[in-house]
Amino acid sequence: MSSLSDESRNAFFSAFKTWDVPKEHFLVKEEQVCNYIFFVAKGAVRIFYHKNEKEITEWIALDEEFLLSIQSFFQRSPSRLIIQTLEPSEIWGIYYDDLIRLATAHHDIETWFRKLPSAALILAQNRMDSIQFETAHQRYQNLLNQHPNIIKRVPLTYIASFLGITIETLSRMRAKQ
Amino acid sequence: MSSLSDESRNAFFSAFKTWDVPKEHFLVKEEQVCNYIFFVAKGAVRIFYHKNEKEITEWIALDEEFLLSIQSFFQRSPSRLIIQTLEPSEIWGIYYDDLIRLATAHHDIETWFRKLPSAALILAQNRMDSIQFETAHQRYQNLLNQHPNIIKRVPLTYIASFLGITIETLSRMRAKQ
DNA sequence: AGTGTTATTTGATATTTGTCAAATCGCCGT
DNA sequence: ACGGCGATTTGACAAATATCAAATAACACT
């Protein structure tokens, strides 16, 4: 994003649609195609999937963060991931076809756009790393350091699910500072 | 790959270079750019990275499997991942520039190529899922079912590292069938 | 074949985290 | 302010896996 020219950036932001959505509104439902790259202008949104009967939180985006189902958006296929607001939120979104049009017209947008999946892959690998090699306590501390607002604003269930631990364990960690 | 026309497939395979490499040969060293998509025609290759002082196995490819550092190959940036043979192997590789040339000439190759990062993302997410929600024993059983040859041919250290458990635990699992 | 080296197995114990149950807190609507 | 209900905390205990140490097995080289 920082790599875009002013002109491209303007074109990019002009293409956004905006919505005011209530709490627990679905931006992408299960098996829907994710047609937008979303930007959470204000609010809180979780991205999760179903595993057995449970809902597994993959990420929680607060104010001024992008999110989407990369796989669904890029492969134009139904999404395993579900995207839902946790608070009343102001959401922006750029539609797939519009983004393709922009990418055709602006080479730097094209470049940015093309890098998204492999950038997401790096994030996924980092997260895997953290689940595999860090203790639950370290993961909690990292989240606390890097995203204190998530800890403050979001109910324990979602955080515990994101960290891959039980609510009880998370509660105990929180207790000893 | 199965989606390619015969013509494209021929063009694709003609573009491969081939090498006979000894055991413990590096196909990609740390911080090098991964310039090839590799195909392990015969042999065994591990892909791993350094975490603290340790080597973490990300995957082990045996005969007739593709592998590469997606992130490095697509972003043209230094690889965190290291690729090294575990046995004397016959390796094929298609060079980045050649693949780009092919993708320009053959639309189905372009499509295949473009999907690689988001396809890899799905695999990464599945693996994360398995690390997060399956027990070590389940992961071992799955590997045994899906890739029995890895268990047979590859030293415990690499397998244990891939499964995210200690050698001792793996040895014990193996003991009780 | 014999020796040194590395890989694997086995045992005892510690640690981390999960599970189940119950108590308490905090918020929402009236 | 009150009652109710979901969210969070706390406790006791169980399960899975790691750690450390030692024994044994497999292998590579002369």
Side-chain angles (χ1 to χ4, degrees):
Chain A
M1 278 298 304
S2 50
S3 59
L4 300 187
S5 69
D6 287 349
E7 197 212 329
S8 295
R9 187 187 308 269
N10 286 341
F12 187 77
F13 279 102
S14 312
F16 273 111
K17 301 171 186 186
T18 70
W19 304 277
D20 270 309
V21 297
K23 193 173 165 174
E24 313 208 328
H25 178 82
F26 288 96
L27 301 176
V28 175
K29 294 184 182 162
E30 193 161 18
E31 300 299 318
Q32 254 182 220
V33 172
C34 176
N35 282 317
Y36 289 88
I37 291 182
F38 295 104
F39 179 74
V40 183
K42 180 140 188 40
V45 176
R46 68 171 173 145
I47 184 162
F48 69 100
Y49 60 94
H50 286 294
K51 167 93 183 178
N52 307 332
E53 324 294 67
K54 298 187 137 187
E55 297 185 344
I56 308 302
T57 304
E58 187 139 303
W59 180 239
I60 295 160
L62 302 187
D63 314 323
E64 320 231 328
E65 264 188 82
F66 285 94
L67 90 171
L68 73 159
S69 166
I70 293 259
Q71 162 262 322
S72 172
F73 188 84
F74 277 84
Q75 297 203 354
R76 314 275 63 222
S77 61
S79 180
R80 193 184 55 120
L81 300 174
I82 302 155
I83 304 182
Q84 188 190 30
T85 54
L86 294 173
E87 301 175 358
S89 303
E90 183 190 332
I91 305 294
W92 303 358
I94 186 162
Y95 189 65
Y96 182 83
D97 294 338
D98 294 335
L99 184 52
I100 294 294
R101 219 167 285 131
L102 280 174
T104 310
H106 301 266
H107 188 257
D108 53 351
I109 293 182
E110 157 107 19
T111 303
W112 172 80
F113 171 65
R114 282 281 160 66
K115 280 188 181 162
L116 285 181
S118 49
L121 188 61
I122 296 173
L123 293 182
Q125 281 168 343
N126 288 344
R127 178 149 178 237
M128 189 162 69
D129 227 71
S130 116
I131 287 172
Q132 191 165 9
F133 300 108
E134 289 167 5
T135 64
H137 186 251
Q138 282 174 296
R139 269 177 280 141
Y140 171 72
Q141 286 297 337
N142 291 346
L143 186 64
L144 189 58
N145 292 335
Q146 288 158 36
H147 301 275
N149 290 330
I150 291 182
I151 307 275
K152 281 180 209 144
R153 267 161 68 176
V154 176
L156 281 199
T157 339
Y158 305 128
I159 301 172
S161 167
F162 171 70
L163 292 174
I165 59 181
T166 60
I167 297 175
E168 292 95 325
T169 301
L170 178 54
S171 171
R172 279 184 250 265
M173 281 170 185
R174 192 152 78 155
K176 15 187 133 120
Q177 6 131 5
Chain B
M1 280 297 306
S2 51
S3 58
L4 299 188
S5 69
D6 287 350
E7 196 212 330
S8 295
R9 186 187 308 268
N10 286 341
F12 187 76
F13 278 101
S14 312
F16 275 109
K17 300 169 187 187
T18 70
W19 304 277
D20 271 308
V21 296
K23 194 172 167 174
E24 311 207 331
H25 178 81
F26 289 97
L27 300 176
V28 175
K29 293 184 183 162
E30 195 160 17
E31 300 301 317
Q32 255 181 220
V33 173
C34 175
N35 282 317
Y36 289 88
I37 292 182
F38 295 104
F39 179 74
V40 182
K42 180 139 188 40
V45 176
R46 68 172 173 144
I47 183 162
F48 70 100
Y49 59 95
H50 287 295
K51 167 96 183 176
N52 307 334
E53 325 293 68
K54 298 186 136 187
E55 298 185 344
I56 309 302
T57 304
E58 185 140 304
W59 181 239
I60 295 159
L62 302 187
D63 315 323
E64 320 230 332
E65 262 189 83
F66 284 94
L67 91 169
L68 75 159
S69 166
I70 292 258
Q71 161 262 322
S72 173
F73 187 84
F74 278 84
Q75 298 202 353
R76 315 273 64 222
S77 61
S79 180
R80 193 184 54 119
L81 301 174
I82 301 154
I83 304 182
Q84 187 190 30
T85 53
L86 294 173
E87 303 175 359
S89 303
E90 182 190 333
I91 304 293
W92 305 356
I94 186 163
Y95 189 64
Y96 182 83
D97 294 339
D98 293 336
L99 184 52
I100 294 294
R101 218 167 286 133
L102 280 174
T104 310
H106 301 265
H107 189 257
D108 54 350
I109 293 182
E110 157 106 19
T111 303
W112 172 79
F113 171 65
R114 281 280 160 66
K115 280 189 181 161
L116 284 181
S118 50
L121 188 61
I122 296 173
L123 293 182
Q125 281 169 343
N126 287 343
R127 178 150 176 237
M128 189 161 71
D129 231 69
S130 116
I131 287 171
Q132 191 164 8
F133 300 109
E134 290 168 4
T135 63
H137 186 252
Q138 283 174 296
R139 268 177 282 140
Y140 171 72
Q141 286 296 336
N142 292 346
L143 186 64
L144 188 58
N145 292 335
Q146 288 158 36
H147 300 277
N149 289 331
I150 291 182
I151 308 274
K152 280 180 209 145
R153 268 162 66 177
V154 176
L156 281 199
T157 340
Y158 305 128
I159 301 172
S161 168
F162 171 70
L163 292 173
I165 59 182
T166 60
I167 297 174
E168 292 95 325
T169 300
L170 178 55
S171 171
R172 280 184 248 267
M173 281 170 183
R174 193 153 77 156
K176 19 185 129 125
Q177 5 134 2

